Amino acid sequence: MVGLGFRREFAEEMISGELITPDFIEFAPENWMNIGGYWKKMLHRVLEKYPVLCHGLSLSLGSPEEVDKTFLRYVKSFLEEYKVRIYSEHLSYSKCDNAHLYDLLPMPFRMDAALHMAARIQQVQDYLQRPLAMEIISYYTPVAPEMSEADFINEVVQRSGCQLLLDVNNIYVNAFNHQYDAKAFMAQLPLDKVAYIHMAGHEQVSPDMILDTHGHPIADPVYELFEWTIRQIRPVPVLLERDFNIPQMQDLQEELTRLKSICHQQWKHHELVA
Amino acid sequence: MSSLPDSRQLQQRFTKHIRTGVRTIIPGVAQDRLAHYRHAIFHMVKDTMESAYPVTCANIPARKWDRMVRDFFAHHACTSNQVWKLPLEFYTYAVENNWDEVYDIPYLSDLLAFEWAEIEVFNMEDIAPAAFTSTGNWLETPLVLNPEYRLLSFKYPVHREAKRARLLKEQGAWFVLLHREPVNGHVQFTGLSPWLAFVTEQLAAGITVKDILEYAPQLGITVTAELEKDTIAFLVDMQRQQFVLGFQP
Ligand SMILES: [Fe+2]
């Protein structure tokens, strides 16, 4: 299954399905809940055509403060209403001192933060009665780390029982920005917990910095890392994220096709088993 | 044991810097990367305001506008999970902090209210209208209105004009009705006289046109055949625009 992040810019094209036909779509519940009118009608039309996975933006499970229970209640009824199979969030925080910052901020890789985050993930999983798939974010600076990123992730996953959303482009970007080996990093992760994969494009903005822009086609070395990665794991849904600089639908469809053929090749054996 | 503050404090310092620019040193954090976060997040917020308030932003000098958005983001704790609702917090912040006077733009809160209402009415959750029929008596049958609307009152005619000098000359009592067309979801706005704004308010409360006209003298309005005719003509027009949906059965 290879899906595409649903955006208003190409809603019509996805509904018509002439130039682009993903296997499923993904969107942030924040962008679609509590709305009516034109976009609610469009949402219903696209949901008639495609299965949907949801990718949350603002639950902020790494926040120092309490989980926003009112918001969580909305999320729960939204996921139920639209029969959403996977709800993913981020190993990060986007809110502090009760102020949203609308971006995914890097966690301090520290034991107290890992314990706190794991407890909050558990709390949400208990409430929603489903595991969360937690995405390893791209980040541009470490924050007073006292453990490695991989140890931090392992600690959170083990203690919370959550699943992982592996964004292969994020790992590639992080490996470049923080000068580590992407495959060696990946090898330290609990890859049996990967439930979902993201793929996206990036942009190098200086000799030592790549930005995770979602505004370009997937780069070749990221395809290569993807191919290597999926060999290590069981088949899971794969999503193409494109948020800016939207190209022709044919170009997006080509990326979907390329991802699909890599999946077929690497997961052939699994498909025979299944 | 580590001598560093706990993660909560580190996160508070990190986000405080992003919001306010107050200098902070956090072990392991490169200053240029911290600056990247501050810059990227501020621009996201500013872009959000500029697409929500294109007219306001175009009519305020760039540096003043920048100062407003910075002031808002640094001092207001944004509570909305949904980015599209963030402009409402900006508008509310402007009103609470008396920006009309502080920034010497007397029509600022009117303009923000108008631009926000368009977003709000476009996105608001669907509201099912009451049952209605297409025939009835304009004077005596209570009307069924499209419930997806806002009726706003302004001191300045910001729905007609954006130029400062002209706006300031036209201070008064202005009314604007915004409603969402049921089928295509488009938002229409209609400037109303004080009388028609009053009529609209009363109709929404289920009062008949006849009763509204009977009450008019208490507002100091003389009811003439002309007023009655114009009021009904307005309602017929609003039916064509799908604000008046029909008559109570
Ligand atoms: Fe992602």
Side-chain angles (χ1 to χ4, degrees):
Chain A
M1 288 233 299
V2 177
L4 179 63
F6 180 56
R7 293 195 63 84
R8 286 165 163 80
E9 292 92 322
F10 46 80
E12 287 285 3
E13 280 97 334
M14 285 182 81
I15 289 167
S16 92
E18 276 166 36
L19 299 172
I20 190 133
T21 49
D23 297 326
F24 66 94
I25 59 165
E26 182 212 81
F27 56 72
E30 285 85 349
N31 294 337
W32 295 92
M33 51 201 255
N34 316 116
I35 60 158
Y38 177 78
W39 284 111
K40 176 142 189 182
K41 291 193 182 88
M42 293 295 273
L43 178 67
H44 283 183
R45 284 175 63 199
V46 79
L47 290 178
E48 272 168 26
K49 204 171 163 79
Y50 302 102
V52 62
L53 305 185
C54 274
H55 188 47
L57 289 173
S58 69
L59 203 49
S60 193
L61 288 166
S63 274
E65 61 261 43
E66 283 295 295
V67 174
D68 181 343
K69 299 212 182 62
T70 314
F71 173 68
L72 195 56
R73 239 190 338 266
Y74 275 123
V75 171
K76 187 178 167 99
S77 65
F78 188 88
L79 299 178
E80 281 163 7
E81 182 178 353
Y82 294 111
K83 300 185 176 54
V84 177
R85 270 193 25 224
I86 296 181
Y87 175 48
S88 56
E89 252 289 351
H90 299 87
L91 286 167
S92 112
Y93 68 110
S94 56
K95 183 181 170 189
C96 189
D97 295 327
N98 287 310
H100 285 271
L101 286 100
Y102 308 99
D103 198 2
L104 303 168
L105 304 174
M107 292 297 293
F109 299 140
R110 300 163 67 85
M111 191 52 98
D112 64 334
L115 296 179
H116 177 69
M117 191 177 217
R120 290 165 53 100
I121 294 173
Q122 259 178 324
Q123 183 193 347
V124 171
Q125 292 181 145
D126 286 348
Y127 180 76
L128 296 179
Q129 290 292 299
R130 58 162 83 210
L132 291 178
M134 298 296 294
E135 175 171 359
I136 301 169
I137 62 159
S138 55
Y139 65 102
Y140 303 104
T141 178
V143 179
E146 61 175 21
M147 64 207 292
S148 73
E149 183 183 357
D151 285 347
F152 179 85
I153 294 165
N154 274 290
E155 204 64 53
V156 174
V157 171
Q158 256 170 39
R159 287 178 187 270
S160 67
C162 71
Q163 301 174 327
L164 274 183
L165 193 181
L166 204 57
D167 185 315
V168 178
N169 180 60
N170 286 355
I171 310 285
Y172 180 87
V173 169
N174 290 342
F176 181 89
N177 287 340
H178 308 298
Q179 294 155 24
Y180 56 70
D181 181 78
K183 290 176 190 168
F185 172 79
M186 211 99 80
Q188 298 174 63
L189 297 178
L191 292 178
D192 57 321
K193 296 291 194 303
V194 174
Y196 189 17
I197 287 184
H198 274 181
M199 287 286 282
H202 60 239
E203 184 185 12
Q204 180 160 0
V205 291
S206 71
D208 64 345
M209 192 167 174
I210 293 182
L211 282 184
D212 173 26
T213 55
H214 296 188
H216 297 78
I218 301 167
D220 282 335
V222 180
Y223 275 114
E224 196 267 323
L225 187 59
F226 173 70
E227 198 166 335
W228 179 89
T229 305
I230 67 171
R231 241 179 274 148
Q232 332 286 319
I233 62 171
R234 71 196 157 89
V236 296
V238 175
L239 181 92
L240 171 64
E241 301 182 283
R242 185 63 179 259
D243 298 327
F244 299 101
N245 215 350
I246 308 293
Q248 297 289 310
M249 289 302 108
Q250 289 92 330
D251 297 346
L252 284 183
Q253 182 59 49
E254 271 172 35
E255 287 186 275
L256 293 178
T257 308
R258 184 164 167 191
L259 289 170
K260 219 168 187 167
S261 81
I262 299 172
C263 292
H264 277 304
Q265 227 160 43
Q266 299 304 327
W267 282 334
K268 227 181 329 196
H269 172 67
H270 287 276
E271 278 160 4
L272 286 177
V273 172
Chain B
M1 282 301 285
S2 161
S3 59
L4 286 169
D6 66 9
S7 293
R8 168 190 283 261
Q9 281 179 36
L10 292 165
Q11 289 174 293
Q12 286 171 329
R13 269 154 61 179
F14 194 86
T15 52
K16 187 171 178 207
H17 174 81
I18 289 175
R19 288 177 56 200
T20 63
V22 167
R23 249 181 80 81
T24 187
I25 304 238
I26 301 172
V29 174
Q31 288 303 311
D32 62 325
R33 298 294 171 88
L34 187 60
H36 162 78
Y37 277 104
R38 175 161 155 74
H39 181 82
I41 291 173
F42 177 71
H43 278 274
M44 196 283 294
V45 172
K46 199 173 169 201
D47 281 352
T48 303
M49 296 314 157
E50 288 175 6
S51 36
Y53 298 120
V55 181
T56 310
C57 159
N59 281 282
I60 292 175
R63 280 173 55 197
K64 206 183 229 186
W65 172 252
D66 193 270
R67 219 163 57 231
M68 288 171 165
V69 182
R70 280 187 198 282
D71 173 2
F72 163 74
F73 190 60
H75 301 114
H76 169 76
C78 299
T79 58
S80 177
N81 292 77
Q82 300 174 271
V83 180
W84 74 266
K85 288 185 180 165
L86 192 52
L88 171 61
E89 297 190 39
F90 184 77
Y91 161 55
T92 311
Y93 186 82
V95 172
E96 283 170 0
N97 290 280
N98 204 12
W99 277 9
D100 289 5
E101 274 180 34
V102 173
Y103 287 99
D104 185 32
I105 311 173
Y107 50 87
L108 177 66
S109 51
D110 280 353
L111 191 49
L112 292 172
F114 180 52
E115 293 201 271
W116 168 252
E118 192 174 347
I119 298 171
E120 191 195 15
V121 173
F122 180 73
N123 283 318
M124 72 199 288
E125 291 197 76
D126 296 341
I127 307 171
F132 60 88
T133 58
S134 52
T135 50
N137 183 307
W138 284 106
L139 281 174
E140 287 175 15
T141 318
L143 301 180
V144 174
L145 303 184
N146 175 344
E148 295 167 347
Y149 79 95
R150 288 283 179 273
L151 180 58
L152 305 179
S153 69
F154 298 135
K155 271 196 297 212
Y156 299 93
V158 290
H159 56 299
R160 305 204 314 199
E161 184 57 64
K163 295 260 176 314
R164 178 183 176 97
R166 285 203 225 155
L167 278 168
L168 293 183
K169 260 190 254 158
E170 297 198 81
Q171 187 181 348
W174 299 91
F175 298 89
V176 179
L177 172 72
L178 292 101
H179 75 280
R180 186 164 77 191
E181 293 179 0
V183 178
N184 60 25
H186 292 170
V187 176
Q188 295 293 346
F189 66 91
T190 314
L192 301 182
S193 65
W195 164 249
L196 290 177
F198 175 72
V199 168
T200 303
E201 235 174 17
Q202 299 306 306
L203 290 172
I207 319 282
T208 60
V209 176
K210 186 169 166 235
D211 288 345
I212 298 169
L213 288 166
E214 265 166 27
Y215 183 78
Q218 293 185 50
L219 299 173
I221 293 167
T222 318
V223 179
T224 58
E226 184 115 2
L227 182 74
E228 184 180 313
K229 201 181 95 215
D230 287 353
T231 304
I232 291 172
F234 162 72
L235 294 172
V236 170
D237 185 43
M238 291 316 283
Q239 187 179 29
R240 219 179 38 243
Q241 294 193 45
Q242 296 175 290
F243 173 65
V244 173
L245 297 177
F247 303 87
Q248 274 185 26

